[in-house]
Amino acid sequence: MEFLPSIIMFVVIVALTGTAGWALWWAIKTGQFANFEKGATSIFDDEEPLGRPTDAFPDRKPENLK
């Protein structure tokens, strides 16, 4: 029974490592690493054009919209 915590920890580490390996394999297989630039700009639309931040604190306007 002295080794039970070590065995449980080993199983958890193997499971996490396996999950991370599978996620990396899936990302490479499905082309997630193919074009970083496209992914980085896909969140922008007409309301927030590329290169013009429009985020602000609720009580202040963005500096570029003053």
Side-chain angles (χ1 to χ4, degrees):
M1 293 309 250
E2 295 175 12
F3 295 111
L4 185 61
S6 298
I7 292 171
I8 292 172
M9 189 170 29
F10 178 76
V11 170
V12 168
I13 290 170
V14 168
L16 289 175
T17 303
T19 302
W22 175 82
L24 179 63
W25 172 80
W26 172 84
I28 292 170
K29 180 182 169 225
T30 59
Q32 301 295 318
F33 294 117
N35 189 352
F36 284 117
E37 190 66 30
K38 180 182 175 191
T41 59
S42 67
I43 61 169
F44 296 105
D45 57 10
D46 293 337
E47 292 180 14
E48 184 169 6
L50 181 62
R52 224 179 99 214
T54 57
D55 298 338
F57 289 102
D59 61 335
R60 291 188 284 174
K61 282 191 157 193
E63 302 218 357
N64 61 347
L65 295 179
K66 287 182 178 180

